[in-house]
Amino acid sequence: QVQLVESGGGVVQPGGSLRLSCAASGFTFSSYVMHWVRQAPGEGLEWVALIWYDGSIKNYADSVKGRFTISRDNSRDTLYLQVSSLRAEDTAVYYCAKERDGFDYWGQGTLVTVSS
Amino acid sequence: QAGLTQPPSVSKGLRQTATLTCTGNSNNVGNQGAAWLQQHQGHPPKLLSYRNNNRPSGISERFSASRSGNTASLTITGLQPEDEADYFCSAWDSSLRAWVFGGGTKLTVL
């Protein structure tokens, strides 16, 4: 069955960086567009970034453009999100999601807390 | 990035029918359709309906999606206690080159 497992979250000071990972299994990872979506505590969902099958196309939300970088390693079936220049408003659970005419599978999420 | 518009809350009685709405524009819902997600407290979202209004495998027939112009709708029939959750719509915006979400509707089953 499809599984997405995020890791790499934690507490970081403003201006700091983290690398989030999402290990995929149960499907042909290299055949799907993948996304990161975040959810601040008590808030709704916010799309963060997407990456095409082969990594050739990447799109970002305006709120993270220039600070976050999405990447993937199809040989390891793993999706990444490098988050830098972090701000308090980046505090959220970060989910990776598989796309098939919508976000059809989600991981459990990894919490990033930006605090001094 | 501009999001989609959903009513913050809807309340309906047990076994009644609830219709949740999601309004966008011609660049997103009107052009690409909307997908619907359900999220229970403390859990990740779950896809209820693809953008083409079809249900993923395993989703109850009580959930059905439709679209008219720039507004998408999710209808839930025979409401059950476990339907109490947050519901989000999502769509690809061809102008923004970004996915957009609605703010979510909290459904209460009385």
Side-chain angles (χ1 to χ4, degrees):
Chain A
Q1 74 280 22
V2 173
Q3 273 201 309
L4 298 169
V5 180
E6 301 93 338
S7 60
V11 180
V12 60
Q13 291 188 338
S17 300
L18 284 173
R19 188 174 85 154
L20 309 182
S21 299
C22 169
S25 60
F27 66 102
T28 305
F29 180 71
S30 59
S31 296
Y32 291 90
V33 176
M34 296 295 296
H35 298 256
W36 287 97
V37 177
R38 69 183 180 182
Q39 187 169 35
E43 301 294 325
L45 301 170
E46 180 187 15
W47 175 78
V48 173
L50 71 81
I51 185 167
W52 271 44
Y53 323 85
D54 59 356
S56 59
I57 293 176
K58 305 174 186 180
N59 288 87
Y60 298 91
D62 287 345
S63 58
V64 307
K65 210 169 286 185
R67 301 187 300 123
F68 290 11
T69 302
I70 189 171
S71 61
R72 65 192 297 162
D73 184 340
N74 286 343
S75 68
R76 296 177 183 270
D77 291 347
T78 302
L79 176 72
Y80 301 100
L81 186 69
Q82 178 72 39
V83 297
S84 304
S85 302
L86 284 165
R87 308 165 180 166
E89 55 265 35
D90 295 317
T91 293
V93 174
Y94 285 73
Y95 295 102
C96 66
K98 169 182 170 289
E99 181 189 331
R100 182 195 156 203
D101 204 26
F103 303 104
D104 64 340
Y105 284 95
W106 297 66
Q108 290 296 312
T110 187
L111 176 63
V112 173
T113 302
V114 183
S115 173
S116 54
Chain B
Q1 272 138 336
L4 310 175
T5 301
Q6 296 183 253
S9 63
V10 168
S11 297
K12 288 287 185 179
L14 197 62
R15 293 182 295 277
Q16 287 190 331
T17 294
T19 298
L20 312 183
T21 60
C22 168
T23 302
N25 60 41
S26 58
N27 295 314
N28 43 60
V29 176
N31 179 258
Q32 304 278 335
W36 288 91
L37 300 154
Q38 177 193 60
Q39 186 179 34
H40 288 104
Q41 182 72 24
H43 292 270
K46 179 171 77 172
L47 186 70
L48 294 178
S49 172
Y50 295 109
R51 284 187 293 172
N52 61 12
N53 298 329
N54 291 336
R55 279 184 305 274
S57 174
I59 299 301
S60 170
E61 292 179 353
R62 298 189 298 108
F63 295 90
S64 63
S66 61
R67 176 171 65 95
S68 177
N70 296 334
T71 298
S73 300
L74 178 72
T75 298
I76 312 169
T77 59
L79 283 169
Q80 299 297 309
E82 59 267 28
D83 298 331
E84 192 161 288
D86 294 319
Y87 292 83
F88 296 92
C89 58
S90 59
W92 171 253
D93 191 299
S94 56
S95 174
L96 297 175
R97 306 297 298 168
W99 278 82
V100 290
F101 284 95
T105 295
K106 182 175 182 61
L107 176 64
T108 300
V109 180
L110 303 170

